[in-house]
Amino acid sequence: MNKNLQELIKISLLDKEIDLMDPKIAQVRKGLTEREEQKAKKELLITDLNEEKKEHLTLLAKCEETLKNASTKLNDIASKMQEVKTEKELKALNIEEEIAKEQITFQNAEIQRIEKLIQSTEEKIQSTQQEIQDLEDQMKKIESEIALEIENIRKEQTEISKKKSAIVEKLDQKVVVFYEKVRKWAKSTSVVPVYKQACGGCFIRLNDRAYSELLKGDSVSTCPHCGRILFVEES
Ligand SMILES: [Zn+2]
């Protein structure tokens, strides 16, 4: 078999192993990733709750302002009543007094309602913060449990990459560039065997001419249908 092709097969097998490493790490980190996602959701919730609290506080300030004005108004009415001269004036003041008192009663009830809302929002913020803390504790524990496993996978990854580099260095760089180009789209099926005269990637049958070219093995051949690099398994 063509020497370049032999080396390409080796490289493609190493690449296959490298490709398996990231999913392996993702699998090991699964519990951690899940908690990271939960934590991010809870942090968003806290942002929303803080926003909610801010709105409540604005509303509360408005109510307090209205209450203050109504009290001032009530005091004004009281002093005007001292100087009242006619029955008509008195009646008008009485109505104004009634309205101001209603306003005060209403604002007081509103203030109580809003204060309760603020309190419940604060409680939600606190409990969510506690949940985040719990998640962080769990994550630390998981991290320490999987650290060694991840490290081993990374070491393995480095080892395979080194093996690959050693082969790549000695190889005709044109062939390497070509392989990387195919790999961009064909991934782990960039170099495939031919089964029963058909490409092992796209499974389309090669015509006799293309097949006999491939059997000669003078150069690196590609599938005329899909462009993958082909080899014939030696029995
Ligand atoms: Zn093909």
Side-chain angles (χ1 to χ4, degrees):
M1 196 193 284
N2 180 293
K3 177 81 185 147
N4 282 332
L5 187 57
Q6 268 176 2
E7 299 300 286
L8 271 187
I9 294 169
K10 279 185 205 161
I11 291 175
S12 74
L13 288 175
L14 291 172
D15 273 337
K16 250 185 222 178
E17 280 187 62
I18 293 170
D19 288 348
L20 288 176
M21 291 297 166
D22 286 340
K24 228 185 199 174
I25 290 175
Q27 184 57 36
V28 174
R29 285 189 90 264
K30 202 173 160 229
L32 206 56
T33 311
E34 278 168 10
R35 282 165 183 83
E36 281 165 354
E37 284 165 5
Q38 285 169 15
K39 187 185 157 191
K41 271 187 200 157
K42 291 193 188 297
E43 279 169 343
L44 269 182
L45 179 63
I46 286 187
T47 309
D48 287 349
L49 288 169
N50 275 321
E51 200 52 46
E52 213 174 86
K53 188 180 152 186
K54 221 167 100 187
E55 281 167 22
H56 291 332
L57 285 171
T58 309
L59 203 58
L60 186 68
K62 265 187 201 161
C63 285
E64 276 165 350
E65 181 69 23
T66 314
L67 181 67
K68 208 176 104 193
N69 291 339
S71 301
T72 311
K73 178 96 184 171
L74 204 59
N75 285 337
D76 285 352
I77 295 167
S79 46
K80 273 184 194 162
M81 279 203 181
Q82 310 275 322
E83 299 151 17
V84 82
K85 284 177 188 114
T86 67
E87 186 73 12
K88 199 179 163 192
E89 270 178 356
L90 184 65
K91 252 189 186 166
L93 283 175
N94 276 335
I95 292 170
E96 271 188 60
E97 191 186 29
E98 203 54 44
I99 293 170
K101 277 181 181 169
E102 267 173 30
Q103 183 76 270
I104 287 169
T105 310
F106 177 73
Q107 292 307 328
N108 274 325
E110 268 301 274
I111 287 169
Q112 263 193 359
R113 187 182 71 87
I114 297 163
E115 277 173 345
K116 263 187 202 159
L117 284 177
I118 292 172
Q119 201 195 342
S120 103
T121 308
E122 273 170 353
E123 280 165 6
K124 271 187 218 156
I125 291 173
Q126 271 179 11
S127 66
T128 311
Q129 268 162 349
Q130 184 55 51
E131 284 162 15
I132 289 177
Q133 184 59 54
D134 291 347
L135 282 172
E136 280 172 349
D137 291 345
Q138 290 169 23
M139 280 154 68
K140 261 185 213 151
K141 193 166 167 269
I142 296 173
E143 261 167 12
S144 67
E145 281 166 3
I146 64 172
L148 189 66
E149 213 175 330
I150 300 274
E151 202 193 307
N152 284 338
I153 297 173
R154 297 241 188 261
K155 263 187 206 158
E156 212 181 322
Q157 212 166 17
T158 314
E159 279 309 307
I160 301 168
S161 296
K162 267 188 208 159
K163 271 190 211 164
K164 183 188 165 183
S165 305
I167 303 173
V168 165
E169 268 170 36
K170 286 184 220 146
L171 208 59
D172 178 353
Q173 289 311 297
K174 271 187 205 155
V175 174
V176 176
V177 170
F178 179 67
Y179 164 73
E180 293 297 348
K181 227 187 228 170
V182 176
R183 193 172 143 70
K184 262 187 193 146
W185 61 269
K187 312 284 178 207
S188 63
T189 64
S190 304
V191 184
V192 290
V194 173
Y195 292 116
K196 294 180 181 170
Q197 209 172 320
C199 163
C202 69
F203 308 110
I204 298 176
R205 196 171 184 278
L206 304 179
N207 63 34
D208 291 342
R209 211 177 120 199
Y211 189 57
S212 65
E213 265 310 301
L214 180 69
L215 285 176
K216 267 196 246 163
D218 293 339
S219 57
V220 173
S221 305
T222 54
C223 168
H225 307 290
C226 69
R228 285 181 177 88
I229 299 162
L230 298 175
F231 67 91
V232 181
E233 276 179 310
E234 281 159 0
S235 46

